[in-house]
């Protein structure tokens, strides 16, 4: 029995294609169908508009293999035989078309005939009140293998109200050896014996506020079957990990870590395999490691996987080396991975290297905290300190527990969980999906009034009827002078926020009112919502009004947008094909372009990039906009964005070469552009910086904004020349001379200060105390930096011969300190590094070093002064 996963995936899609279903490609892991979601977690997500009857697609039945990502069971990954973060959901759907009879019959046929699953091993669950489904199943399987279950497992709800319906699950019995052993163990048990393969959701009701159920006029089907589970079942495997979807990755990881795939290593290797797949696909779909939102989740699972290697003493990056294995398995279904492999691997490696450094510094920080606790006689690490290490510094809490236990400390698990829960609640409150408002209100409105016709590609002015007015989040019949609200027109010339391009500005008016348009957004479908302030008159629903955009603003936005396309092409020519867009913002004031690249950009490269962009502009080449099929566009070399979902017909923007025939650049884009590159005028890079691991950012200006930028720069130069009494030609040399003179005077001043400091050293000797048999001096000195503190320390050690010194200085609102110990005390076990860590932990700072010398700092002046009063506690 050897059924390859790639063949099962293809066979499933072909089976439903032959049953009249449209084969729909997988959506991105960053959902396009529901922007309030963090990740695509089920096959039905991309079909939300279809289920609501708001899609423009003509098909009423569909099938897909959807990439999905969930973290709800992350603690179970690798421990159980069935849980995953990244998985592929096979599904078939009906939007008011076929219903239970067909869905059940097809599911049974595919499993028993196409997959050859043993009929006597399959069990069925149905909702307790779903007699219709139960009767259909009775004609297929013996009644004793049909189990009725309750709301928790077999009834699906979209929310407290709205579409809902019963479910029917198909499970396979994996054998008694997988049982939990309880006498009650059966298909309803949550143990590993009965594996859920397929869930059939029958969306047939509309739940009312009072809890009652009304029949939906359009009944829908939403099914989901994990590819990983059916592959395991079809191959007679007890675990989803023992299949061709995981074993090559597991074998590769085991080889890298120099371990065997045996009982003691199974859970860790399985986790690494799962997380490697998730990491690869998240980055492929445009998610990058960061400290918030999707990027934070990616960072967490990457670090979690890397930590497994650390537990085996493997202190080098290795997750990036598993990417080719993931690709080899998934290539047939996701060939687009090929062009991104280098990018993905580089991003992962940079993140791994950063975390290995974090582990090192985190270990030092934990050591300092524990030394501080020991000095206070406390042997339980507080949940607050554990969580701070975990959340702020990325130090895994399970590693903290392990190290703490080895050092004789207990772990405040309850306190940690409480801190974690508080942070999660704050995160949930801060997360608003991808920034969009709740679209429920607009969804209802959209269903009533339909799409807005966009006329803005060819018209700066258009007329349309006012279909709706919104005030304070509710529909209104009118908007008065001085009021702010939203206007929805039947057609508009205003471009809405989309694809990184800002919205047009302008006004909406007629003979009865005048309003200024402050923003335009598309909350759902092609519903254009204009945020306005009424300047005079009265706007009413039903009136005809003119949408008049600010032409100069539009032209300036267009200059920046076309310049962004040219910039991306030039970056790829300069640095290589690994460069890909990681984010952009196009406004009338500037453009911002984030791109994948793994080293800082040299000044000479920036100059070259700027010159090349301007040479393309001077060529005054045609900018050609065409609409074509997605396959035709890809074959023509059009670039698509990570994470974007495109329909069958797309809009392309091509910048022609000077010969007017070939394309210099070609992108899928719905934005507004100029007609010829010469219309851009001039391009100027304003800044270049790093925004994340492996991601650089260029901010630039073009056209009028570039002219203003250059004028500002010239004014700054003229001002500096005036201050230094120099011509522009003399400015650089004169500035260098002033800086050289300043440094010379600074050195002379420092020499004088050192002389004064040396004279003060004798006065501190009188403050030395004997603590536990050691000469100890702790003192606060004003106005010295770390270098000057070290000078005093060296002089004091020379005079005292045997001493432990804790010298603290406050300067410019900050604390700097050093701890030093003479050689004879170090031989007796004194460790300046540990004292520094403990002191730093107590004053809310950081510090560390070697047994004879250590240093650190803090911003808490008051705490430093208070702690210093009892500094002898560190001498034990």
């Amino acid at each position: 029995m050897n059924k390859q996963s790639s063949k099962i995936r293809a066979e499933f899609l072909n089976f439903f294609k032959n049953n009249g279903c449209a084969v729909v490609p997988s959506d991105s892991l960053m959902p396009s169908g529901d922007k309030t979601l963090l990740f695509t977690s089920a096959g039905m997500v991309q079909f939300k508009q279809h289920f609501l009857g708001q899609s423009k697609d003509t098909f009423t039945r569909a099938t897909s293999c959807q990439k999905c990502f969930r973290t709800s069971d992350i603690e179970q990954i690798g421990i159980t035989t069935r849980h995953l973060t990244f998985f592929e959901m096979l599904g078939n759907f009906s939007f008011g078309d076929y219903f239970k009879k067909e869905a059940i019959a097809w599911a049974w046929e595919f499993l028993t005939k196409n997959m050859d699953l043993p009929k006597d091993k399959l069990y069925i669950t149905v909702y307790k009140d779903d007699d219709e489904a139960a009767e259909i199943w009775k004609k297929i399987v013996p009644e004793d293998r049909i189990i009725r279950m309750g709301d928790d497992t077999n009834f699906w709800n979209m929310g407290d109200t709205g579409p809902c319906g019963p479910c029917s699950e198909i499970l396979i019995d994996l054998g008694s050896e997988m049982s939990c052993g309880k006498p009650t163990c059966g298909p309803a048990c949550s143990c590993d014996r009965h594996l859920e393969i397929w869930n059939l959701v029958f969306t047939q009701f509309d739940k009312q506020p009072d809890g009652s159920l009304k029949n939906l006029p359009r009944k829908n089907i939403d099914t989901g079957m994990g590819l990983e589970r059916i592959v395991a079942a079809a191959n007679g495997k007890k675990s989803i990990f023992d299949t061709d979807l995981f074993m090559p990755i597991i074998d590769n990881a085991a080889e890298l870590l120099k371990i065997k795939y045996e009982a003691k290593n199974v859970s860790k290797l399985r986790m690494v395999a799962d997380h490697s797949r998730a990491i690869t696909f998240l980055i492929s779909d445009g998610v990058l490691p960061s400290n918030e939102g999707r990027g934070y989740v990616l960072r967490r699972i990457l670090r979690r996987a890397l930590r497994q290697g650390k537990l085996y003493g493997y202190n080098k990056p290795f997750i990036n080396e598993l990417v080719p294995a993931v690709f080899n398995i998934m290539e047939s279904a996701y060939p687009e991975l090929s062009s991104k492999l280098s990018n993905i691997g580089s991003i992962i490696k940079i993140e791994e290297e950063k975390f290995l450094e974090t582990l090192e510094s985190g270990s030092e920080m934990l050591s300092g905290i524990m030394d501080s606790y020991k000095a206070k006689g406390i042997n339980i690490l507080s949940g607050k300190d554990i969580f701070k290490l975990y959340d702020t510094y990325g130090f895994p809490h399970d590693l903290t527990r392990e190290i703490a236990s080895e050092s004789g400390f207990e772990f405040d698990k309850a306190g940690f969980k409480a801190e974690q829960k508080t942070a999660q609640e704050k995160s949930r409150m801060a997360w608003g999906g991808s920034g969009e408002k709740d679209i429920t209100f607009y969804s209802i409105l959209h269903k009533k009034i339909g799409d807005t016709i966009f006329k803005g590609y060819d018209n700066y002015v258009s007329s349309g009827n006012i279909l709706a007015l919104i005030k304070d989040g509710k529909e209104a019949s009118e908007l008065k002078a001085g009021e702010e609200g939203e206007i929805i027109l039947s057609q508009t010339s205003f471009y809405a926020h989309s694809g990184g391009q800002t919205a047009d500005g302008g006004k909406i008016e007629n003979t009865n009112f005048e309003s200024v348009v402050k923003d335009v957004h598309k909350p759902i479908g092609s519903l254009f919502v204009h945020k306005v302030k009424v300047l005079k008159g009265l706007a009413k629903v039903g009136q005809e009004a003119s949408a008049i955009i600010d032409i100069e603003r539009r032209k300036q936005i267009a200059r920046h947008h076309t310049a962004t396309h040219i910039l991306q092409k030039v970056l790829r020519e300069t640095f290589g094909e690994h460069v890909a867009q990681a984010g952009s913002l196009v406004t009338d004031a500037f453009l911002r372009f984030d791109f994948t690249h793994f080293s800082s950009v040299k000044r000479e490269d920036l100059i070259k990039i700027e010159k090349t962009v301007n040479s393309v502009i001077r060529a005054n080449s045609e900018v050609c906009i065409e609409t074509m099929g997605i396959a035709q566009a890809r074959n023509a070399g059009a670039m698509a964005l990570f994470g974007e979902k495109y329909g069958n017909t797309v809009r392309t923007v091509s910048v022609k070469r000077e010969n007017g025939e070939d394309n210099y650049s070609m992108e899928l884009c719905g934005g507004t552009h100029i007609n010829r590159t010469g219309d851009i005028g001039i391009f100027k890079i304003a800044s270049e910086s790093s925004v994340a691991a492996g991601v650089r950012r260029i901010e630039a200006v073009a056209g009028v904004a570039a002219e203003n930028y250059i004028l500002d720069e010239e004014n700054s130069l003229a001002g500096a020349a005036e201050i230094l009494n120099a011509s522009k030609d003399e400015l650089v040399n004169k500035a260098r001379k002033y800086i050289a003179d300043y440094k010379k005077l600074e050195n002379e001043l420092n020499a004088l200060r050192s002389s004064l400091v040396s004279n003060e050293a004798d006065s501190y000797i009188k403050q030395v105390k004997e603590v536990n048999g050691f000469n100890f001096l702790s003192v606060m000195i004003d106005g010295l930096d770390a270098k000057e503190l070290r000078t005093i320390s060296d002089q004091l050690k020379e005079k005292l011969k045997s001493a432990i010194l804790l010298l603290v200085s406050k300067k410019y609102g900050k604390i700097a300190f050093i701890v030093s110990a003479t050689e004879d005390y170090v031989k007796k076990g004194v460790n300046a590094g540990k004292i520094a860590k403990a002191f730093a932990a107590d004053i809310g700072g950081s510090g560390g070093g070697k047994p004879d010398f250590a240093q650190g700092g803090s911003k808490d002046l008051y705490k430093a002064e208070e702690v210093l009063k009892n500094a002898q506690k560190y001498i034990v």
Side-chain angles (χ1 to χ4, degrees):
M1 190 183 296
N2 183 20
K3 291 183 179 289
Q4 294 179 351
S5 57
S6 58
K7 290 184 178 179
I8 290 176
R9 185 193 293 113
E11 190 170 350
F12 177 89
L13 296 174
N14 193 54
F15 175 86
F16 281 99
K17 180 181 179 182
N18 291 337
N19 281 293
C21 294
V23 178
V24 181
S26 173
D27 194 7
S28 166
L29 287 172
M30 295 191 289
S32 62
D34 187 345
K35 295 182 180 180
T36 63
L37 294 177
L38 200 58
F39 296 106
T40 298
S41 57
M44 61 80 64
V45 170
Q46 70 165 316
F47 296 113
K48 184 173 181 180
Q49 300 307 312
H50 298 74
F51 284 121
L52 295 172
Q54 297 169 352
S55 172
K56 293 179 180 179
D57 290 323
T58 56
F59 56 78
T60 55
R61 51 177 72 180
T63 185
S64 70
C65 178
Q66 174 62 52
K67 297 174 291 185
C68 297
F69 180 77
R70 298 177 186 172
T71 57
S72 52
D73 299 312
I74 194 167
E75 299 300 330
Q76 299 298 313
I77 307 301
I79 297 173
T80 72
T81 59
R82 65 186 190 277
H83 287 107
L84 298 169
T85 57
F86 173 82
F87 57 96
E88 293 176 86
M89 184 73 84
L90 300 170
N92 58 289
F93 309 90
S94 167
F95 317 115
D97 193 324
Y98 66 85
F99 201 46
K100 293 181 186 178
K101 182 180 178 181
E102 294 88 347
I104 289 171
W106 288 340
W108 186 257
E109 180 185 350
F110 182 79
L111 291 179
T112 58
K113 292 185 178 179
N114 294 68
M115 295 294 103
D116 295 322
L117 296 190
K119 295 179 181 180
D120 61 339
K121 296 292 185 182
L122 298 177
Y123 286 80
I124 310 300
T125 70
V126 296
Y127 181 57
K128 59 185 178 64
D129 297 328
D130 191 359
D131 295 333
E132 182 185 2
E135 288 302 317
I136 297 170
W137 277 117
K138 284 178 186 178
K139 297 174 183 177
I140 300 173
V141 299
E143 191 171 351
D144 62 356
R145 292 215 306 275
I146 303 172
I147 300 96
R148 290 182 183 256
M149 299 183 69
D151 294 76
D152 289 346
T153 60
N154 281 63
F155 198 90
W156 176 82
N157 293 282
M158 182 178 283
D160 294 333
T161 61
C164 59
C167 311
S168 179
E169 297 174 338
I170 304 173
L171 303 93
I172 187 167
D173 184 355
L174 297 179
S176 58
E177 66 271 25
M178 301 296 288
S179 171
C180 59
K182 296 177 182 177
T184 56
C185 183
C189 185
S190 61
C191 73
D192 287 338
R193 176 169 179 173
H194 293 91
L195 178 70
E196 177 198 330
I197 297 179
W198 208 333
N199 187 18
L200 316 178
V201 181
F202 312 124
T203 312
Q204 63 188 96
F205 299 120
D206 184 6
K207 183 179 282 188
Q208 304 301 301
D210 63 0
S212 62
L213 302 177
K214 288 187 177 181
N215 285 316
L216 283 172
R218 277 169 37 109
K219 296 178 181 180
N220 302 319
I221 291 291
D222 162 23
T223 85
M225 173 167 62
L227 173 66
E228 297 76 10
R229 294 188 178 197
I230 185 58
V231 171
N235 286 282
K237 302 293 185 182
K238 308 294 185 184
S239 166
I240 59 175
F241 293 99
D242 296 336
T243 66
D244 66 351
L245 286 166
F246 294 93
M247 284 311 302
I249 309 170
I250 289 172
D251 291 341
N252 194 357
E255 183 181 354
L256 287 169
L257 299 176
K258 294 179 172 56
I259 58 175
K260 293 181 179 179
Y261 186 48
E262 54 189 5
K264 64 180 180 179
N265 301 324
V266 163
S267 63
K268 292 182 176 62
L269 286 171
R270 287 175 173 175
M271 181 203 295
V272 167
D274 167 76
H275 286 13
S276 298
R277 284 166 27 113
I279 292 160
T280 299
F281 276 92
L282 285 169
I283 295 174
S284 173
D285 280 357
V287 182
L288 295 169
S290 69
N291 287 325
E292 58 185 19
R294 298 181 178 105
Y296 178 67
V297 177
L298 170 60
R299 175 166 282 168
R300 284 277 317 282
I301 64 166
L302 202 163
R303 291 181 168 189
R304 199 166 184 265
L306 181 61
R307 159 107 167 88
Q308 306 313 305
K310 186 80 172 174
L311 293 174
Y312 288 111
Y314 195 83
N315 298 311
K316 296 185 293 184
F318 74 96
I319 303 300
N320 68 93
E321 296 187 51
L322 302 178
V323 173
V326 175
F327 169 68
N328 290 336
I329 295 167
M330 310 298 268
E331 179 182 10
S332 62
Y334 307 100
E336 67 273 13
L337 282 175
S338 176
S339 62
K340 304 172 185 176
L341 280 185
S342 175
N343 259 12
I344 294 168
S346 298
I347 290 169
I348 294 172
K349 187 175 182 181
I350 290 170
E351 186 67 17
E352 288 184 280
E353 290 170 344
K354 284 175 60 178
F355 184 51
L356 288 171
E357 293 174 9
T358 297
L359 282 175
E360 195 68 36
S361 59
S363 297
E364 290 184 9
M365 200 169 296
L366 176 58
S367 177
I369 291 172
M370 291 191 297
D371 287 343
S372 173
Y373 275 49
K374 283 178 183 176
K376 298 173 184 175
I378 301 171
N379 70 339
I380 301 177
L381 289 184
S382 77
K384 188 174 183 179
D385 282 336
I386 297 165
F387 185 73
K388 183 179 180 182
L389 278 171
Y390 166 73
D391 190 54
T392 306
Y393 302 103
F395 198 71
H397 60 90
D398 52 348
L399 185 58
T400 298
R401 181 170 59 240
E402 187 179 308
I403 295 172
S405 177
E406 291 169 356
S407 302
F409 283 89
E410 293 181 31
F411 185 93
D412 179 14
K413 186 176 180 179
F416 172 78
K417 291 288 185 184
E419 291 288 333
Q420 188 177 39
K421 185 178 180 182
T422 300
Q424 286 171 343
E425 288 170 354
K426 288 179 180 177
S427 177
R428 273 195 295 269
M429 290 172 65
W431 171 252
S434 52
E436 282 83 0
K437 304 174 184 176
D438 179 10
I439 63 171
T440 304
F441 168 77
Y442 295 110
S443 179
I444 295 169
L445 192 58
H446 181 233
K447 196 168 184 179
K448 183 169 71 173
I449 64 178
D451 285 341
T452 308
I453 298 171
F454 178 59
K455 310 285 286 185
Y457 286 137
D458 306 308
N459 301 279
Y460 294 147
V461 180
S462 65
S463 294
N465 293 323
I466 299 178
L467 301 180
L469 295 172
I470 301 166
K471 181 182 174 184
D472 299 327
K474 298 177 182 178
E475 279 195 78
S477 59
E478 59 184 31
L479 285 176
K480 301 173 184 176
E483 290 183 336
E484 292 193 2
E486 293 174 328
I487 295 178
I488 299 176
L489 299 168
S490 59
Q491 57 184 29
T492 184
S493 52
F494 282 86
Y495 185 88
H497 277 289
S498 183
Q501 179 177 320
T502 193
D504 283 323
K507 58 186 179 179
I508 297 175
E509 65 180 20
N510 61 21
T511 54
N512 298 304
F513 79 96
E514 180 184 340
S515 68
V516 60
V517 177
K518 303 174 77 172
D519 195 9
V520 189
H521 64 109
K522 288 193 296 183
I524 185 169
S526 291
L527 184 73
F528 285 63
V529 180
H530 309 77
K531 184 176 180 181
V532 303
K533 180 175 182 178
V534 179
L535 302 179
K536 62 182 180 181
L538 184 68
K540 288 186 175 184
V541 173
Q543 291 177 345
E544 185 174 333
S546 296
I548 307 167
I549 70 168
D550 181 334
I551 298 173
E552 288 308 313
R553 174 183 166 91
R554 161 68 77 85
K555 287 182 177 180
Q556 188 57 26
I557 292 170
R559 292 183 186 109
H560 280 143
H561 203 152
T562 306
T564 302
H565 284 215
I566 298 170
L567 173 62
Q568 177 168 212
K569 177 65 176 179
V570 173
L571 287 169
R572 289 170 68 85
E573 288 179 334
T574 305
F575 298 124
E577 295 299 304
H578 70 273
V579 169
Q581 181 173 329
S584 73
L585 177 63
V586 177
T587 74
D588 59 325
F590 68 96
L591 70 87
R592 185 175 72 211
F593 187 74
D594 297 345
F595 60 98
T596 50
H597 187 54
F598 313 107
S599 61
S600 59
V601 180
K602 297 175 182 177
R603 176 169 168 74
E604 52 265 35
D605 285 330
L606 285 176
I607 293 171
K608 178 184 175 184
I609 290 163
E610 188 177 282
K611 283 186 172 183
T612 306
V613 172
N614 279 310
S615 70
V616 176
I617 291 171
R618 285 193 300 273
N620 197 28
S621 300
E622 181 185 4
V623 178
C624 183
I625 297 173
E626 297 176 277
T627 300
M628 62 183 70
I630 182 68
Q632 181 185 353
R634 291 190 188 280
N635 290 336
M639 286 193 64
L641 299 184
F642 276 3
E644 284 291 318
K645 181 175 173 63
Y646 300 97
N648 293 326
T649 303
V650 293
R651 183 173 183 265
T652 64
V653 177
S654 305
V655 176
K656 297 294 183 181
R657 293 188 182 275
E658 284 189 77
N659 61 20
E661 296 177 4
D662 302 327
N663 291 329
Y664 176 70
S665 81
M666 184 181 188
E667 297 188 27
L668 304 183
C669 180
T672 58
H673 292 267
I674 42 81
N675 296 319
R676 304 192 73 87
T677 60
D679 297 339
I680 296 172
I682 189 171
F683 173 86
K684 182 69 182 172
I685 294 175
S687 67
E688 189 279 333
S689 60
S690 171
V691 290
V695 182
R696 309 298 299 183
R697 170 174 290 173
I698 283 178
E699 292 191 348
V701 285
V704 176
E707 292 174 12
N708 293 335
Y709 177 85
I710 293 168
L711 285 173
D712 288 343
E713 292 283 289
E714 288 183 346
N715 287 336
S716 296
L717 284 173
E722 185 178 347
I723 291 169
L724 295 176
N725 193 26
S727 67
K728 287 185 180 180
D729 293 338
E730 299 171 330
L731 184 58
V732 172
N733 289 332
K734 207 154 191 179
R736 283 176 177 158
K737 182 179 183 302
Y738 276 118
I739 290 170
D741 291 344
Y742 172 83
K743 286 183 177 179
K744 181 181 177 183
L745 290 171
E746 187 177 42
N747 290 335
E748 291 174 357
L749 178 61
N750 288 337
L752 179 60
R753 286 169 62 88
S754 295
S755 176
L756 293 172
V757 165
S758 178
N759 294 333
E760 290 179 11
D762 291 338
S763 65
Y764 299 130
I765 293 175
K766 299 174 184 177
Q767 300 178 43
V768 175
K769 299 176 182 177
E770 184 179 322
V771 180
N772 294 327
F774 296 101
N775 292 328
F776 177 59
L777 171 65
S778 60
V779 63
M780 174 75 77
I781 309 169
D782 287 339
L784 301 186
D785 58 26
K787 184 179 178 181
E788 292 164 338
L789 285 176
R790 185 158 192 168
T791 299
I792 291 182
S793 170
D794 291 342
Q795 291 172 352
L796 286 171
K797 283 197 293 184
E798 187 177 336
K799 292 181 179 182
L800 292 169
K801 306 302 180 187
S802 298
I804 303 170
L805 307 174
L806 171 54
L807 308 181
V808 185
S809 174
K810 51 184 178 180
K811 185 178 182 180
Y812 302 137
K814 295 181 181 179
I815 290 293
F817 70 86
I818 66 167
V819 181
S820 61
T822 50
E823 188 176 348
D824 58 326
Y825 280 4
V826 171
K827 289 178 180 179
K828 291 181 179 181
V830 172
N831 190 314
K834 288 189 174 182
I835 295 172
K837 287 178 186 176
F839 180 66
D842 284 344
I843 65 173
S846 60
K850 298 178 181 179
D852 64 329
F853 181 82
Q855 59 187 337
S858 173
K859 294 181 180 179
D860 196 328
L861 302 180
Y862 174 76
K863 189 176 283 188
E865 290 174 345
E866 288 300 305
V867 171
L868 197 63
K869 293 175 184 178
N870 191 31
Q872 61 268 21
K873 70 180 181 179
Y874 302 115
I875 311 304
V876 292

